[in-house]
Amino acid sequence: MKDQNDSGWNDSSKRLVLFLDIMGFKERVRRFSVEELKIQLVDFKTKFKKLSPLLKGKENPDMMKLAQFSDSIVVVSREYSIDDLNRLTKAAVILMQNALEKGIALRGAIACGDMVFDERNQIFFGQALIDAYLLEEELCCYGIVFHDTAEELVANAMQSDKYYYPIEDVELSFKGGKSKHYHVAWHKMDKKLTENDINEDALNWLMNLRKTVSGHSRVYLDNTIEIINNEENHVGLRHTSGGDKD
């Protein structure tokens, strides 16, 4: 039985789950004082207000929910539809852009499945969260990849002309090698959440971040830059006409 609150939000439901990891968090703890790090994180978190129009709908007040604990961010959709995919993808774009602009790298994954998101009791668990977490750990670049449990919905959404989805099916680097996956092309959408390349800004953010990392972190960064450069003339499976009608 689904537990439903006054807004109609089901604590337990099949939904889309975005799991994000703040990369280099341990290094930040080592390099900065507690107060300095707190200021950085609060500054980043204030940008979450840009998610408000996506989190709250006209008819249903709770369209998505967000939780942050330590170096992890979880965003979950209300249900499992192309409308939910549209909202969650845009949320992913906002978080990626705002983080990199602040010199914070994010790595994440989106999965679909049963998930308990009980905000009142602070209980969050489900197979979709596990799937997203495990796939995120395999990714060797900064960005957001789709788990196979969400791929059918993505493929169906690409056939619709209702929304513009900044999603590409490209070769990505994983710990086990390279493989084609859908991922959120966060640099293909501007601050107004409309279709537009912001490659120049994206590369500037990444090059600034490059000054602060080395070793495997720089490999991740170089892989991210390679993806952006390769996608400049890439024609993927994403919908590119009709715009966003919602």
Side-chain angles (χ1 to χ4, degrees):
M1 182 176 180
K2 296 180 178 180
D3 295 324
Q4 193 174 80
N5 63 24
D6 294 338
S7 69
W9 176 269
N10 290 318
D11 292 337
S12 178
S13 181
K14 182 178 181 180
R15 51 174 46 107
L16 291 165
V17 178
L18 165 62
F19 177 85
L20 288 166
D21 185 20
I22 299 176
M23 302 299 290
F25 190 76
K26 295 183 181 67
E27 179 64 16
R28 286 179 179 272
V29 172
R30 186 185 68 81
R31 289 174 55 192
F32 299 102
S33 69
V34 171
E35 285 303 315
E36 287 175 323
L37 184 55
K38 180 183 176 182
I39 290 171
Q40 291 178 16
L41 293 177
V42 168
D43 188 29
F44 171 50
K45 199 163 185 178
T46 57
K47 298 291 186 179
F48 285 7
K49 64 183 179 182
K50 292 186 177 181
L51 295 173
S52 296
L54 298 174
L55 297 173
K56 304 294 182 182
K58 294 179 181 178
E59 297 181 1
N60 297 312
D62 291 326
M63 300 305 298
M64 291 192 304
K65 287 185 178 289
L66 178 149
Q68 181 178 1
F69 35 92
S70 186
D71 59 349
S72 300
I73 301 169
V74 176
V75 185
V76 301
S77 65
R78 183 185 183 89
E79 295 176 342
Y80 173 62
S81 69
I82 61 173
D83 294 324
D84 294 299
L85 178 65
N86 172 58
R87 289 178 181 276
L88 194 71
T89 303
K90 286 179 177 177
V93 169
I94 290 173
L95 289 168
M96 280 295 301
Q97 291 182 0
N98 288 338
L100 285 172
E101 193 172 15
K102 293 295 181 182
I104 298 172
L106 299 179
R107 186 180 68 182
I110 296 172
C112 175
D114 293 333
M115 170 77 185
V116 172
F117 195 98
D118 183 349
E119 193 172 36
R120 182 177 63 253
N121 295 307
Q122 291 292 289
I123 298 174
F124 315 111
F125 70 91
Q127 187 59 48
L129 180 61
I130 294 171
D131 289 339
Y133 167 73
L134 292 176
L135 182 59
E136 172 271 323
E137 280 205 319
E138 291 186 47
L139 191 62
C140 293
C141 63
Y142 301 137
I144 300 166
V145 63
F146 284 89
H147 188 266
D148 64 82
T149 53
E151 286 187 332
E152 182 178 358
L153 179 62
V154 171
N156 290 338
M158 296 305 175
Q159 304 303 315
S160 168
D161 65 353
K162 188 175 183 180
Y163 302 112
Y164 163 65
Y165 295 93
I167 298 173
E168 299 277 6
D169 185 23
V170 298
E171 190 173 76
L172 301 174
S173 296
F174 295 87
K175 291 180 179 178
K178 291 192 174 185
S179 176
K180 288 192 72 176
H181 278 70
Y182 288 118
H183 83 123
V184 177
W186 53 269
H187 54 96
K188 297 281 190 177
M189 187 171 265
D190 60 26
K191 294 284 188 178
K192 296 180 180 179
L193 297 179
T194 56
E195 180 181 2
N196 190 21
D197 286 351
I198 61 160
N199 290 356
E200 185 176 349
D201 287 338
L203 291 172
N204 283 337
W205 296 335
L206 291 168
M207 291 310 295
N208 286 335
L209 184 62
R210 197 173 193 274
K211 300 171 185 176
T212 67
V213 298
S214 57
H216 73 275
S217 296
R218 185 167 290 189
V219 172
Y220 287 5
L221 193 146
D222 289 343
N223 287 341
T224 308
I225 292 173
E226 182 181 12
I227 292 168
I228 293 174
N229 288 334
N230 288 342
E231 284 185 340
E232 284 195 46
N233 299 310
H234 176 72
V235 179
L237 299 178
R238 75 190 196 285
H239 164 62
T240 57
S241 64
D244 193 331
K245 300 181 181 179
D246 187 37

